[in-house]
Amino acid sequence: MEILNSTSLLDVVGELFSDEISIAVTNKTEYVYYRPSKRVDLKIRPGDPVREGTIAYKAIAENQKVSEFINRELFGVPYHGMAVPFHKNGLIEGCVLAIHPTFTDGKIVVTVKTTDGWIPTPFTDVRYIEVKERKTYIYAKEFFGTHKNTLQEFEYILPKESFVRCHRSYIVNVNHIRAIYPDTHSTFVLAMDNQTKIPVSQSYSSYFRKLLGF
């Protein structure tokens, strides 16, 4: 707990995350650290109690990682968060939280930059997103183009029921997967409906299998 009480260290850790993510730390009853992001601020202050119904409360009460959507009734803004408990000598001491804004509210398109201009593209038309040579490419049904967002930012924008991160360089729309083939070791190759082959890396393979249920 001595390390977690170091505000300077927590500020450095916070810099490792996207500017869209707020970071909080609690002990068993109250918040001891809070770093708001540019997009979501729950107005938490050190010393505020951990309120019932929050993911922090659930993580501590259940002594396990909790990840879910929280509506605006608790803090005035909706958010999606993850809380992970930490322990000392086998006993729970508190939890660490990552708080994400609910980007997808009201959004149904991603605007893709092409050589001719910008094309608002429905999420359903996006086959996959790839990062290569430090650029993010959007591959839709009829065209492809670029976008300023990183893959990490797209993970929070795109509907989670359709889009899955399968590789450090790819996010795929599961509705455009034609087949899944085993590859070396525990990895897979995705055959998309436009004949493209996309790898599922070993680090994402178990996560990918769990989400798709196979």
Side-chain angles (χ1 to χ4, degrees):
M1 191 61 185
E2 290 80 5
I3 293 177
L4 288 170
N5 278 332
S6 172
T7 300
S8 60
L9 178 59
L10 288 168
D11 284 336
V12 171
V13 172
E15 292 298 321
L16 297 174
F17 294 89
S18 164
D19 287 339
E20 314 292 349
I21 302 174
S22 299
I23 305 296
V25 179
T26 78
N27 57 28
K28 288 184 285 188
T29 60
E30 65 185 29
Y31 292 89
V32 297
Y33 173 85
Y34 180 61
R35 175 184 179 271
S37 75
K38 295 178 180 178
R39 292 297 296 268
V40 58
D41 185 3
L42 303 186
K43 308 298 184 183
I44 294 170
R45 295 182 179 180
D48 286 351
V50 175
R51 298 167 61 183
E52 187 172 352
T54 62
I55 58 172
Y57 182 91
K58 294 178 181 179
I60 294 168
E62 299 170 7
N63 194 17
Q64 64 181 7
K65 180 175 71 175
V66 175
S67 178
E68 63 183 54
F69 172 82
I70 301 296
N71 64 37
R72 66 177 66 249
E73 293 177 3
L74 285 170
F75 289 101
V77 294
Y79 68 94
H80 183 275
M82 179 180 293
V84 179
F86 59 88
H87 305 79
K88 183 178 181 180
N89 298 326
L91 300 175
I92 189 168
E93 287 284 304
C95 69
V96 180
L97 302 92
I99 301 158
H100 312 285
T102 53
F103 284 101
T104 56
D105 283 354
K107 292 188 178 182
I108 58 174
V109 301
V110 55
T111 303
V112 182
K113 183 179 181 181
T114 68
T115 54
D116 298 322
W118 291 265
I119 302 176
T121 306
F123 290 152
T124 53
D125 287 351
V126 176
R127 284 192 170 100
Y128 63 93
I129 303 172
E130 178 186 12
V131 168
K132 58 182 178 181
E133 298 176 350
R134 298 186 178 181
K135 288 187 178 181
T136 302
Y137 291 87
I138 311 291
Y139 292 86
K141 283 184 177 181
E142 306 296 336
F143 67 95
F144 74 94
T146 61
H147 200 281
K148 63 180 181 179
N149 282 359
T150 64
L151 285 190
Q152 184 185 35
E153 289 168 328
F154 269 121
E155 284 188 275
Y156 308 130
I157 294 172
L158 297 170
K160 298 184 184 302
E161 65 272 15
S162 297
F163 290 87
V164 180
R165 182 79 173 263
C166 65
H167 189 279
R168 63 181 298 180
S169 300
Y170 292 97
I171 293 175
V172 297
N173 185 339
V174 297
N175 299 297
H176 290 284
I177 298 174
R178 182 173 56 82
I180 303 172
Y181 300 107
D183 197 16
T184 56
H185 306 297
S186 59
T187 61
F188 309 95
V189 172
L190 309 178
M192 307 302 290
D193 57 11
N194 66 343
Q195 310 303 316
T196 300
K197 300 294 193 297
I198 294 178
V200 178
S201 67
Q202 190 168 16
S203 59
Y204 284 95
S205 60
S206 60
Y207 169 74
F208 186 84
R209 290 189 65 156
K210 182 178 179 180
L211 289 180
L212 270 66
F214 71 99

